[in-house]
Amino acid sequence: MKHAQLFADVLAMRDKVHSPRDKSVSLALGLCGAIGLLLAFAGGSPGAGWLALLVATTMTIGVAAVGVVFAAIFHITAARWGRPFQRFAEAGVALMPLGLICLLALVLGGHAWLPWLQVDHLTGGKHAWLVRGFWDVRVLLTLVCTYALSLTFVYYAWRRDFCLGEVRAAFTGRLGAWLGRGITDAEREMARCTRRLDVLAPAVIIVYALAFSFLAFDLIMALEPDWYSTLFGAWYFISHLFVGLAAIVLITTVLWRRLSLERFVSMPRQRDLATLLFAFCLVHMDFFWSQFLTIWYAHLPEFTFYLIDRTLDPALPYHHLTWPALAAFFFIPFGTLLFRRVKSSRLLLSAVAIIAISGVLLARFIEAAPALLTLDSPSVTGLFLPLAATALVALGVIGVAIPLYQRLLTSIPLMPLSDEVFLATQTHEEHP
Amino acid sequence: MSSASRSSDLLGHFAHVDTLVEAITAAQANAYEVCDVYSPVPVEAAQALISPGRSPVRFVTFAGGLCGLVGGMGLAIITSLIWNLVVAGKPITAVVPFMVVGFEATILIGAISTLLGMLIFAQLPYRRFPTPAYRASFSRDRFGLWLRCAPEQVEAVQRLLEEAGAEKVEVLSIAQGGRS
Amino acid sequence: MSTHHPQLGALSYGQVDHDILATLGRPSRAYLAILVFCFGLVCIGAVSYYHLLTKGMGVTGLNNPVGWGSFITNFVFWVGIGHAGTLISAILFLLRVPWRTAIFRAAEAATVFAVCTAGLYPLIHVGRVWVAYYMIPFPTGRELWPNFRSPLVWDLIAISTYLTVSAVFFYVGLIPDIAAARDRAKPGPRQFILKLLSLGWLGSIRQWKHYMGAYVLFAALATPLVISVHSVVSWDFAMSVIPGWHTTIFAPYFVAGAILSGLAMVMTILIPLRRVFKVEHIIRPYHLESMAKLLLVTSLIVGYAYFIEIFIAWYSGNPFEIAIFKYRATGEYAAIFWLMVICNAVVPLLFFKKSIRTNILALFIISIVVNFGMWFERYNIIVSSLAHDFFPTAWGIYEMTPVEWGIMLGAFGLFFLLFLTFVRILPSISIAEVKESMPHPLRGRKR
Amino acid sequence: MRVDRRDFLKSLGIVGGALVVGCNTSAPEEKLHAYLSAPKAVVPGVAATYATVCRACPAGCGLWVKTREGKPIKLEGNPDHPLNQGKLCARGQAFVQSLYSPRRVQTPMVRVAGELRPASWNQALERAAEILGETRCAVVSGLEQGGYARLLQDAAAHLGGPHLCFEPLAPRPLAAACRLLFDRDEVPVFSLAQADQVLSLGADFLDTWLSPLQHAREWAEGHQAEQRALFVTYLGPRRHLTANMADDFHPLAADQCGPVLAALLRAVVARQKPTLTAALQEALTQILDKAPAPPRGLSDARLEQITDRLLSARAPLVMWGGPEVYGRDATTVATMVLLLNHLLGAFDKTVFLGRGHAWSKAAAHATVYSALHQAAHEPQQAVLLLGTDPLFSLPGGAALGAALQKAGRCIALAWEHNHSTAVAEVVLPAHHPLESWGDYEVERGLVGLLQPVRVPLYDSRHPGDILLDLTTRLGHPRRLPSSKDYVIEAWQHRCNDLAPNAWEDALSAGLCHVPAPTSTIVPLKPNRLHLLPPLYAASGQGVDLLVAATTLLYDGRGAGAEWLMETPDSLTQCAWEIPAELSQDLALTLNVSDGDVVTLTSPHAEVQGRVLVARGACPNTLALRLGGEHPALPEEVLAPNPMRLIGPVFDPLSGALVWVQGRIGMARSAKSTLASVMGSPHSEGRNLCLSMSASDFAKGRFPRMDMHGEVLPDAAGNYPDKRYAQMPVEEIALEGQRPANNMTPLTEHPEQRWGMVVDLDRCIGCAACVTACYAENNIPVVGRAEVLRGRELSWMRIEQHITADVRQGQVRFLPIMCQQCGQAPCETVCPVFAAYHTPDGLNAQVYNRCVGTRYCSNNCPYKVRRFNWFDYPRPEPGNQQLNPDVTVRPRGVMEKCTFCVHRIREARNRAAFEGRPLRDGEIQPACVQTCPTGALRFGNFKDLDAEATQWSQNPRGYRVLDYLLNTRPGVVYLRKVYADSQEGQG
């Protein structure tokens, strides 16, 4: 009775995912990306190419993985409000192939950009750790394993939906067919999927944390082989959780009107999502601060030189970027998300999300650039090209991402129809 | 005062939220004055009817927090300027470490002002406790609806309350002008 | 904030009210005996401290390289215990976690009393307690001020803020329950006191409105506070230059550790409590299991920190870093180190198994194990790093003396004394919120 | 707090008392003469300095005694004294403690029914006179030469006995050898001033042998890295400080000195045969034929090396001596030493005869022993002990003591109770040297004058006057009224200076110096060499027992001073511990390790001692330090007196005690722990104590610390990392700006940035600085138990480091005091600003503000901060020594070195008062002032011309851990430059 209607609405969403302008938009963005790469590699600023690629890669692999992590978090915590966003989060997996390709490119081109290849005095474990072959295999394997696990999780999450006849009937695409294959006893199959999810959810989170810590050490921290920080891994994966969440916010807000999400998500729930973003903004800053304060205070050259290069050495241009980055990934989101008005307005919310994402992007840039770029002048103009290139490449990634997303979103039900918690929210969801 | 002198008060005891809400709606529809509603738990629905909107305490908190931040940073900076000793070559007004002080002060003053805000807006401590309409059961499992009407309307109100589902209706005898 | 509680549907408001207030009845003999025992411990502590005060710091095992020992260990330990309360009540409140309601009151009480206990330690441990007030920022004729660049001053401010805020939060949460207690109390001095404490709470809709409005704000303020406080505590160490102390991960790592120890302590307290007060139907295995899950999460974070610290030390190639971790694992304090690892990072992994998470006895035992583990962690971090720092020629060894043991016992005695007294005087489970977490009593539509 | 106040009141009392006393006594009928500018009367709060002579050992260095309110509080070296030139050793620093010793003899005492009972002076003197009346009495005093000595001789003559100068470490064999060879009974003066090659056989010349301070100073001059002219070879059974500092060191059994010398002589003779007189050749063959050859434990190649070095030397010097090597054949070996020096042409370059060295007067042990023995057993004989304690320092002391007490013919004049006073019949309280007139003629023409620098603490009298009194009582007329007159007479006779107030000036200067007659080469008389006994080779079972004299305890008297026991011995790193040093091989065979208690058995006694495994000691040796069983030592110091293990055996020719008596038995008895202040001596690859090879130094390849540790410059002289730590001067240039490796601008120092330079190449580890620090800064003495707990309070420590490049068991010394960091980790963590950075670059510690969180100490990478764990007792009269300029710290506060900030402030005020800028070198912290080798230099780094600043720019310079911690210390260390010749050996 009530459910039938709900199912109908959910299934109907599929056709609204696309809109005529999407193709051109993604094309345009893709073009930006291409130009970016061209600019980066041929723009005459040595290192800029790899820099742009590295930054774009970190963001991509991050967003791709984080979606599932949030799905897992929603699954573990009985958080009812998160359910409607579940699928949009999981859809992050659409970026996985892209992320893998970028990383592969980085690995293949390693000899051209890995700074520690030039360093002769690698101390301590770095002798054994920063070795080309080992590094390549490590980085790739780490990511592949993480993704494999995430995909397994997503598989069971979606398969559970496909246990429902209506869903199977509605989605007959290749993915749909595969997800729905060989289902005889729907009830038992659903139960099985749920059990699997219960086991997989924590695994996904744990593996993500570990894997991305080490990716952080290998991809970013090792760029300065003399520098190390125990918090770096955690800071990195937190900042990608932050970005991932911002991405989810962005996607949902963008698709809101099209998919008329208000049908499933009440205003308070939307605010909850925004509040979560606010919370992550704080946690993110907390990790940044913990790392910064410790280094600033104890003032040991071993650690400070890293901050000096990036935040206050007048002989380098990077200190110009410090405050913009801080503003983008903390002050602006914090200052705005404090207010209910912002949380309630989808437009403002998406704007904040974009700012936050670009803030973290800038942070990654600042972390990586000094090790990769060779600049002749301390003037900020020298940074223009690398920055522009990085931004363009990032846009390019989005350009590529859009169709992938849409492809995925059209081939699964956008609400977890098999999830009792979700259904419960839909039955007595107090209406605004 | 004059109106009060000619008014009489009734107290309806309710066991259920929905009945309570019904009664309130009805009372408001008939423009009876709802003096107060007593409940062992917060009831959003009732609140939406009686005093809609969010509590203004948050503004007090915000102001307090702001003062705390400024005060905390101020204290740290000013005192270190007064007693300007160099330690470990760190700057005299070392903003970085002072942030910690500022932060804690924000929370402290914020919390204290929240407390004050709550006490003020919720009129705590409530000096005239107990009100004539307050019953011990209202802190256990009963809901009390306290209506006021003109003496001639007493029966009507009584009926209204009973129809709404009041377990029991008391007509409160209040000294003239006992309450304002 | 109405997260309807699945398990409490059966109960009625009145029943809840009655059952919880029943915990305030006549104390049993056993209870009194325990109370006396705790008081005995407090006396031992007092005597030991008097000895320390009159003789000097020398009666402790502290020496030149090792300037901090059991006192700071216990300080951090108790502050850590003090974290579960506010975590459970504030963060879980904001996250609308349903299982919070039945347990947060006890947790908050634990917080307040733990922080009080912790607060004593800095005073015990300073060389000249009679001038300890120098650390407080107050105007003097000579315009002497504390050094706001010092982590210890941050600590002072953070801890006092934390004590104030959690006490306020605790009290505000109590008001409606005190009112309930007041309304059931027989006339007499007790009722009078309850009347005063209840601030004349009526439970009128307007009061509820501002009350709830304020409560959310308290939670919103307390949450970052919890995190900041133990970060600041961790910075007492991380701000230094000592190998094994100066590391960036400390803040989050200590926060996680604090929550771990706090949860463990709350469990250790709740499991007997629910039994003694016959409130098993309100504090259900479900609640304990949920806590166990959270405990598991924090233990994973702590384990992660242990691992990353050692990995990075190896990676860094800094001889001092490498040396200190070698020393911790193989030196005089190796036993402590391995106990720490096992108790905090290995044993809690058992909670991955549902049968264990739901076995009350197992929960109780493991929670105690973790309590020990967290004490070892602090001891390991503080003492080993000081014992072997930069100058091998200046290395030394520290061992606790009877005086220190005495003071430590005293602290435990004090904590439990306060807690036990509390549970007899005021409802240790929130009546109002348990009711709140139940579906509103509805008659259902007629006609 | 209470105690704090009490101390304050006490010190007030002291001041007040001083004023009262001061009026009538500290300017008594015979005037005391302050040094040059010092005020004539005592002005409260102003220090008056008096010159006198240090009698802590027979070297006789010049002293400046700093007194406040008429109380000596600190001893400094007399800058005008040619011997020590303003420097002072640890023993000298601690000499003031013997003045305030709790064991001072306070009243005359007479033995009644076997018990010493206090008596009036008259009774005591009567009793003494009575004894002396019916006996012939020998007067045994410490080494004296000059007017006072003359008094003693006269007195002795009256009493019908000899006057014997008893010094346990007397180098009699050398004197005897001189008599044999040159017909002169004297100890030659050895000088390293011009020497370029020194071979020391056992002689610990840097710190106990003959005139340590002088030798150390000369060594430092000749050995300094910048223009190194001196090369020291050491062969000997023990690694004492000299051995440790030697450029070439090889352990050698005590009895092998002779054979080695023989081999050397042979080599020399082989080269010089033509030039030698027939007689000499004949004599040489006589000796060499008796010598067994070749020596054990020394390779021919090594011997070759040494010979070549000596022969090619411009001014060679061969030294031999010390209790570790005085054997049965001491005289023979001594003769060979002198012969070798003679053949090498060392005389009048490095070895001088005819200087009349005071040591020559030291009596033979045999004589003293027999004097005591007679007094004990022959009714007509008595003995009068004057300040010395032969019963403590001679073998068989215990037996003698018992006999003496029974005989009751022993009279002791002493300022401290000791083994001898314990058995004396009459004990008469004598003035402490700091309370008395006197003189001491180190060598002919160099007369040091003693003057009383304080009112006698107790009812004591000048020993000389007591003797005069006694002789008068015995009916001998006084030649001169008082001991002071003897002093003046001698002074007039020696330095007949007819200037109007020459005496006053001499007193003020503390000495008069009439250049000694430069000796002509004394003809060598080889005709008596056949009298020499053959070289003696140790034999039999057991362990070689070496009796050792050490820096701090010297011949054992050091054990009487708390400071010297509290100051850790640089080599053992133990405080309140006189360990039995066991060679490594023995430790292995006995399976004992540091701290184990062993039982030592010899024919004469069985004693117990704590083992310390001595790296670099000669195999199969056990070294026992003099000082054990000193009456001042508390129970828990398990220290045997080595003299009990050897018998009264004397070398017939020289009458010297035979110290090396061969084998003793040893057994492990119990486990225990050494009171060591050291964690681990191994640097574990941490670049703390740095050094460089002489060849690198010559090539100018100076290593530098950067983030990757120690790096050498490339061919172009560039260093890889740009971010290396600055040195002070570069840093000062950057003040106010942000250097590349800093996140904040550097603190500015308006006028001064006080700094210190420590030349590790000059530091010999004598620990004088540490003791001086105790004396200057009222640092409490905590005792053994607390040291075991790691609670010693020394502000400065001499660390021992075994770095990768040390060999043959040598160690490197690293003096560590507060580094006065420019960016001190300790300061910023203090919650109350008790620790902060002063505008003149000091790391100040405000005791009154300190709360005692101990956070600063935790965060101090150098671990130089010290916490007052208790209130430490300061019993009378020791508290009179407290320096009023330095706060006495109460319990619960942190304390530390601040470059003697009170001296800095005082000098600054003085300069301000006189309206002039501070002069370089005007300020000297106690440690810098006393350092015998000038390894420490102090000054204002902002003044580029200052000596310290100059040194701080030395390319050998580095700052400990600065590269890693960015602490920017105010102390610059200069690397030790080790001789390449050590490469590949050991």
Side-chain angles (χ1 to χ4, degrees), chain A residues 115-159:
Chain A
W116 41 264
L117 290 176
Q118 276 70 46
V119 181
D120 48 4
H121 54 262
L122 286 180
T123 49
K126 300 185 200 104
H127 283 307
W129 191 252
L130 298 181
V131 179
R132 189 62 207 290
F134 184 27
W135 184 86
D136 302 354
V137 179
R138 191 168 65 231
V139 174
L140 285 172
L141 266 187
T142 320
L143 194 64
V144 170
C145 298
T146 325
Y147 281 1
L149 191 66
S150 315
L151 286 171
T152 336
F153 178 85
V154 175
Y155 167 77
Y156 284 108
W158 293 346
R159 181 171 169 81

Side-chain angles (χ1 to χ4, degrees), chain C residues 53-64:
Chain C
L53 199 56
T54 45
K55 287 280 175 306
M57 268 297 136
V59 300
T60 65
L62 296 169
N63 53 36
N64 183 27

